[in-house]
């Protein structure tokens, strides 16, 4: 288990934060935890986790090669969760507003997104990006 700080910005050690999710040892209990783990998956280039946590009806259209290329070409510089609505253990849906910073071509960029999450059979999935 890794003692390094988790890339998701929680401040916790990676080994007790996102690593168990990315290794398939446990499932995120909240929409925010899933969102944070998906950011960590980009940092760690764990593309299969990104596909597995995508809403099932969208998984067939997931472009593994393009996602892997994008994850590898960027240097991930930090995640800030700005707001989470619903998405708790007892909820079936929720949203998370976040900003992910990354370096691309020598320029610092910020990806700001309001993400929609839904729970199916006790497991959280990323559904889509919503407009603010």
């Amino acid at each position: 288990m890794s003692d390094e700080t988790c890339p998701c910005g929680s401040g916790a050690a990676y080994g007790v934060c996102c690593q168990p999710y990315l290794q398939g040892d446990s499932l995120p209990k909240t929409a925010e935890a899933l969102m944070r783990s998906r950011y960590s998956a980009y940092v760690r280039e764990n593309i299969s986790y990104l596909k597995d946590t995508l809403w099932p009806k969208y998984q067939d259209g997931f472009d593994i090669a393009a996602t892997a290329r994008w994850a590898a070409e960027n240097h991930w510089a930090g995640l800030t969760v700005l707001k989470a609505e619903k998405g708790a253990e007892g909820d079936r849906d929720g949203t998370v507003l976040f900003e992910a910073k990354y370096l691309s071509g020598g320029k610092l960029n910020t990806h700001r997104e309001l993400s929609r999450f839904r729970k199916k059979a006790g497991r959280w999935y990323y559904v889509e990006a919503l407009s603010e």
Side-chain angles (χ1 to χ4, degrees):
M1 205 171 269
S2 177
D3 289 334
E4 67 190 90
T5 303
C6 193
C8 81
S10 69
Y14 177 62
V16 296
C17 193
C18 291
Q19 185 178 30
Y21 306 141
L22 271 65
Q23 291 181 338
D25 296 332
S26 62
L27 296 173
K29 294 183 181 348
T30 66
E32 181 178 337
L34 176 60
M35 194 260 112
R36 288 181 178 278
S37 69
R38 286 177 55 85
Y39 175 83
S40 292
Y42 277 105
V43 173
R44 298 291 179 148
E45 297 179 37
N46 186 335
I47 308 309
S48 62
Y49 182 80
L50 294 169
K51 180 179 180 184
D52 292 345
T53 57
L54 183 61
W55 188 248
K57 84 174 194 178
Y58 301 133
Q59 289 181 7
D60 285 344
F62 182 76
D63 190 335
I64 292 170
T67 304
R69 189 170 44 256
W70 194 71
E73 288 174 354
N74 295 298
H75 174 75
W76 301 94
L79 174 72
T80 304
V81 173
L82 302 170
K83 185 165 119 179
E85 290 187 357
K86 298 169 85 182
E89 284 188 58
D91 292 329
R92 294 196 60 205
D93 56 57
T95 59
V96 179
L97 177 64
F98 70 91
E99 289 183 346
K101 295 192 183 311
Y102 63 96
L103 283 167
S104 179
K107 181 181 175 212
L108 183 62
N109 298 283
T110 300
H111 174 79
R112 183 181 175 108
E113 181 177 312
L114 178 62
S115 296
R116 180 175 169 219
F117 296 87
R118 186 181 292 162
K119 192 188 280 185
K120 180 178 183 177
R123 181 175 180 172
W124 282 103
Y125 292 92
Y126 169 76
V127 180
E128 63 189 336
L130 303 170
S131 58
E132 288 187 65

